[in-house]
Amino acid sequence: KTVVLDSIMYHAGKKYELDACVVMENHVHLILTPLEKVENAYYGIPELLHSIKSYSANRIQRLSGQRGSVWLGENWDRIIRSDKDWYEKLDYIVNNPIKAGLVERAEDYRWLYFAGLK
């Protein structure tokens, strides 16, 4: 989980603005805003996810000696269209480790990032 969070944080501010993320045992949630790649052209979601997955998969394989796929090929993305929707998604991310019974307080979960937390 640490490798995945490190990968997400590595690209934050370079390819996207990161509002929040949580790395769970078998999935990840992110709220991000793609940054401009060149004038009037932004990084696409597939490209951003490839960066995160490729960077973390290579590191996991090096550390563990594991070969083969680390990530599933599927992704689910959503466009956040309102403040209400953003807050709902943020609440879901922040509370995901609590709902999973991993911690009692969100700030105690090591693999959660939200600038307003802590």
Side-chain angles (χ1 to χ4, degrees):
K1 291 184 255 185
T2 300
V3 169
V4 176
L5 182 60
D6 288 349
S7 176
I8 292 165
M9 299 308 294
Y10 176 81
H11 296 290
K14 297 173 185 162
K15 294 185 177 188
Y16 48 81
E17 289 300 326
L18 181 64
D19 291 333
C21 70
V22 65
V23 181
M24 302 296 286
E25 190 64 33
N26 61 357
H27 66 282
V28 176
H29 295 285
L30 302 150
I31 299 177
L32 59 80
T33 303
L35 292 175
E36 204 170 37
K37 186 175 185 176
V38 294
E39 191 173 343
N40 297 320
Y42 293 81
Y43 287 99
I45 298 298
E47 182 178 7
L48 297 176
L49 293 179
H50 174 77
S51 292
I52 293 167
K53 288 180 171 186
S54 175
Y55 183 90
S56 60
N58 286 327
R59 182 122 170 93
I60 289 166
Q61 288 171 336
R62 272 193 306 254
L63 291 171
S64 68
Q66 175 183 338
R67 292 279 185 238
S69 296
V70 172
W71 291 95
L72 295 176
E74 57 195 15
N75 303 303
W76 287 276
D77 57 69
R78 305 286 182 271
I79 295 173
I80 296 176
R81 300 185 186 277
S82 68
D83 287 347
K84 180 180 182 258
D85 194 21
W86 186 88
Y87 283 109
E88 286 174 359
K89 301 296 186 271
L90 178 64
D91 182 69
Y92 183 85
I93 286 173
V94 170
N95 288 300
N96 204 274
I98 297 168
K99 290 178 185 174
L102 301 173
V103 291
E104 290 185 21
R105 300 175 323 144
E107 56 265 35
D108 293 336
Y109 191 69
R110 259 180 63 182
W111 303 281
L112 171 66
Y113 168 80
F114 167 54
L117 198 61
K118 296 179 186 170

